[in-house]
Amino acid sequence: MEIAILEGDLTKQEVDLVVVNLFEEVDELGGATSAVDQALNGLLKQEIEDTDFKAKLGKTLQLRATDDAPFARVMVVGLGKRDAFDADTVRQAAAATIKQAQSFGVNTIASVMHGAGAGDLDVETVGQAMVEGMRLAAYQFTRYKAQEESDKAQDKLPETVKVVSTDSKAVEAAKTGAEIGELTARGTMFTRDLVNTPGQHMKPIELVEAAKEIAQDSDMIEIEVFDRDQLEEMGAGGILGVSQGSEHPPYLVHMTYTPEKAKKKVALVGKAITFDTGGLSLKPSKGMESMKLDMGGAGSVLGACSVLGELQPDVEVHAIFGAAENMVSGKAMRPGDVITIMNGKTVEVLNTDAEGRLTLADALTYAQKQDPDLIIDLATLTGACLVALGEEIAGVMGHDDDLIDNVLGAAKTAGEKCWELPLEKRYKKQLESPIADYKNIGGRYGGALTAGLFLQGFVDDEMPWVHIDLAGPSFAEKPLNNYTKKGATGFGVRTLLTFLSDIK
Ligand code: BES
Ligand code: ZN
Ligand code: ZN
């Protein structure tokens, strides 16, 4: 599928399908929608009235064009309410085009640039969102499908989509945005592939290989991989302890992206449990079903890294994750065992299913040794965060208000829902152990917060740090919207890329 942004008149396009749009509760057609309606002698307006089309966000109406029109069909995409219009409206509307086109098989499409100039969105953002919506809607995970079936899915995609505007300035700006959108979408899909891959084919070594490939593809990215022996020398008792019950050895991965001029030095840390059985504190089988998702944090860090060489933000990026499988066996960690993290602190492991924080404690310690200006960690850390915020919203915690604001701002722009949760000091005592510096679980309530507080114990007070718990939004148990099917979502990639690009 080729996406091109062009200057031109939508009514003159010789294509299978022309796409226009409409806001909810608008009687008069405007702009390109009105022009296309006129080209069809008022047929479009008539159809909208006859079918009582409401223009709800992402809903579509289709009709056959008149014989004298150069295009065969027209589709109207609903934009929802005008005052709710934002970049995500554009993503949803653009995605609806691909979804519908796939279902009735059209090859060539010319689409209006949704809402360019509407609201306070700049056209560059519109171009980026158009591409993101279309690419992500077209995403499919076909690794385990019969060849014919994955070919069929590919065949159903349109060959070309032209996004057309009569305004030459808008076309230029949208093109710049579209180039960024190609990268952010590609990074997101890279993550989706990693997270959708079952634990059987996404063992720690395979996550390492994915990282190595990224480093190979860009001469701005270097990689260092530490194996089990080196982890022992480093004293990475968290990563080692968690991986102890697994046949598959753990690794600590450190990737570095170095631009010519770096304004800041950022460490991105990801939880990388390639499969989480819970360990001896075994999960019930229902709760284990989706636990291939448990490397979603590192997956998003890798997705972002996979396009850094092309996006080229002016930030030095250190991507760090400790990859391990949380498995049961005669060698597995026992509840009650005490382990020592890389910074020398000891942890009484009362629940082996609270494993992510143990690997992250090592990874955060290692990250600080790189002397970054700030650290962001992403982790599918707690079921409690899902209980608190549901499946679509990530929990954000930290002790630096400016950094939290910047991350929340980037998430909003990227269309990824985040909400701040408090690191309540009074809950810290829940993590006190009679025999070690910490225990790895708190009480019954507020589990996302006690997990956040545990991580905070491994970050210096002066180090700006944000923790994103994406246990919910990393994986969609059901289709979420026009551009997010059931399965891995790639959540976090676009927030990270937006955050890095915005650093001044
Ligand atoms: N990987 C899970 C968290 C999770 C749960 C992610 C559901 C996505 C969906 C994590 O390792 C875990 O098991 N956490 C425990 C912690 C508890 C034992 C303190 C949890 O949330 O139940
Ligand atoms: Zn767990
Ligand atoms: Zn886990």
Side-chain angles (χ1 to χ4, degrees):
M1 181 169 83
E2 197 193 326
I3 304 175
I5 314 238
L6 304 164
E7 187 180 344
D9 181 346
L10 205 53
T11 64
K12 304 261 158 59
Q13 302 299 315
E14 289 179 25
V15 289
D16 300 334
L17 178 72
V18 156
V19 180
V20 291
N21 58 37
L22 193 64
F23 278 111
E24 217 177 308
E25 291 162 5
V26 166
D27 293 331
E28 281 307 304
L29 305 185
T33 311
S34 160
V36 168
D37 180 53
Q38 275 163 30
L40 300 179
N41 308 318
L43 200 66
L44 185 55
K45 187 153 200 275
Q46 195 62 53
E47 188 75 6
I48 289 168
E49 281 167 12
D50 290 353
T51 57
D52 199 18
F53 180 66
K54 293 274 195 289
K56 294 245 184 268
L57 176 58
K59 292 276 180 274
T60 56
L61 169 75
Q62 290 159 43
L63 60 147
R64 200 173 283 285
T66 48
D67 287 343
D68 54 344
F71 44 89
R73 283 168 166 274
V74 181
M75 181 159 94
V76 188
V77 182
L79 295 182
K81 296 224 163 65
R82 192 185 280 274
D83 54 12
F85 179 81
D86 63 8
D88 210 56
T89 309
V90 179
R91 272 182 217 107
Q92 297 295 350
T97 301
I98 301 305
K99 259 186 96 176
Q100 283 299 313
Q102 266 180 313
S103 72
F104 62 96
V106 294
N107 231 342
T108 54
I109 300 178
S111 172
V112 66
M113 212 185 281
H114 293 299
D120 43 16
L121 266 195
D122 59 84
V123 187
E124 193 177 312
T125 306
V126 170
Q128 180 179 343
M130 291 275 319
V131 172
E132 287 174 348
M134 290 193 270
R135 291 282 178 224
L136 295 177
Y139 172 81
Q140 250 156 339
F141 182 64
T142 53
R143 177 164 172 174
Y144 301 99
K145 288 275 188 200
Q147 187 64 41
E148 312 90 73
E149 227 183 295
S150 78
D151 286 350
K152 232 194 284 167
Q154 207 56 40
D155 283 351
K156 277 197 192 152
L157 282 175
E159 222 166 275
T160 58
V161 183
K162 293 191 267 183
V163 178
V164 180
S165 164
T166 49
D167 177 348
S168 62
K169 263 211 194 128
V171 168
E172 282 318 303
K175 270 188 186 165
T176 311
E179 276 172 31
I180 298 170
E182 291 288 357
L183 295 176
T184 52
R186 214 176 71 204
T188 306
M189 295 190 286
F190 186 92
T191 302
R192 286 181 179 183
D193 279 346
L194 290 180
V195 179
N196 278 326
T197 302
Q200 140 211 37
H201 293 139
M202 193 45 67
K203 299 183 292 294
I205 186 68
E206 275 130 350
L207 213 47
V208 170
E209 275 156 15
K212 281 189 176 163
E213 265 169 48
I214 292 171
Q216 244 153 39
D217 287 348
S218 169
D219 43 7
M220 299 172 86
I221 301 180
E222 301 295 324
I223 184 167
E224 245 183 308
V225 179
F226 302 96
D227 65 13
R228 185 182 260 157
D229 290 344
Q230 289 166 302
L231 286 171
E232 257 159 42
E233 279 165 34
M234 296 159 95
I239 300 170
L240 288 167
V242 170
S243 71
Q244 209 173 287
S246 170
E247 292 289 321
H248 308 296
Y251 297 93
L252 177 68
V253 176
H254 175 189
M255 302 165 79
T256 312
Y257 158 80
T258 319
E260 256 171 43
K261 278 195 222 89
K263 291 176 182 142
K264 282 248 164 77
K265 186 166 165 182
V266 172
L268 304 177
V269 175
K271 172 172 171 182
I273 301 300
T274 57
F275 194 80
D276 183 10
T277 66
L280 287 179
S281 313
L282 195 66
K283 285 184 182 296
S285 47
K286 259 281 161 225
M288 213 188 286
E289 265 175 23
S290 61
M291 279 305 130
K292 65 176 183 182
L293 66 73
D294 217 18
M295 34 59 71
S300 294
V301 171
L302 283 171
C305 285
S306 73
V307 297
L308 283 182
E310 285 168 80
L311 192 66
Q312 302 203 354
D314 300 326
V315 190
E316 187 175 312
V317 179
H318 293 260
I320 294 154
F321 61 87
E325 185 182 50
N326 190 19
M327 190 48 79
V328 277
S329 80
K331 289 193 275 178
M333 211 167 31
R334 288 154 287 256
D337 281 359
V338 176
I339 58 171
T340 306
I341 303 299
M342 206 187 278
N343 68 349
K345 294 225 171 102
T346 55
V347 181
E348 184 184 13
V349 181
L350 289 179
N351 191 318
T352 60
D353 196 12
E355 82 298 337
R357 61 195 76 183
L358 305 175
T359 61
L360 286 166
D362 278 332
L364 287 167
T365 304
Y366 180 86
Q368 281 170 111
K369 290 188 198 224
Q370 313 313 311
D371 195 26
D373 294 312
L374 63 97
I375 303 177
I376 302 176
D377 82 67
L378 296 92
T380 50
L381 202 60
T382 65
C385 198
L386 260 157
V387 174
L389 297 175
E391 292 169 304
E392 299 189 35
I393 307 175
V396 171
M397 285 150 262
H399 51 219
D400 184 294
D401 289 342
D402 289 340
L403 181 57
I404 291 175
D405 286 349
N406 288 341
V407 169
L408 291 177
K412 195 164 175 21
T413 309
E416 298 185 319
K417 294 190 172 70
C418 288
W419 195 258
E420 188 182 351
L421 299 175
L423 287 176
E424 175 52 55
K425 283 194 190 67
R426 288 180 51 77
Y427 295 171
K428 268 193 197 166
K429 54 177 171 297
Q430 294 182 32
L431 296 167
E432 282 169 13
S433 158
I435 64 165
D437 297 328
Y438 294 104
K439 59 180 173 150
N440 76 328
I441 47 167
R444 171 139 184 226
Y445 304 112
L449 317 188
T450 45
L453 285 165
F454 181 90
L455 297 183
Q456 193 182 29
F458 296 86
V459 180
D460 297 340
D461 291 345
E462 305 75 43
M463 175 60 68
W465 157 76
V466 155
H467 158 58
I468 306 179
D469 189 337
L470 33 69
S474 177
F475 198 88
E477 298 290 351
K478 55 178 191 306
L480 286 187
N481 55 41
N482 283 337
Y483 64 85
T484 318
K485 295 190 178 76
K486 180 180 158 77
T489 61
F491 187 99
V493 174
R494 285 180 289 121
T495 296
L496 287 179
L497 292 174
T498 308
F499 174 85
L500 294 172
S501 303
D502 285 352
I503 285 182
K504 295 279 159 3

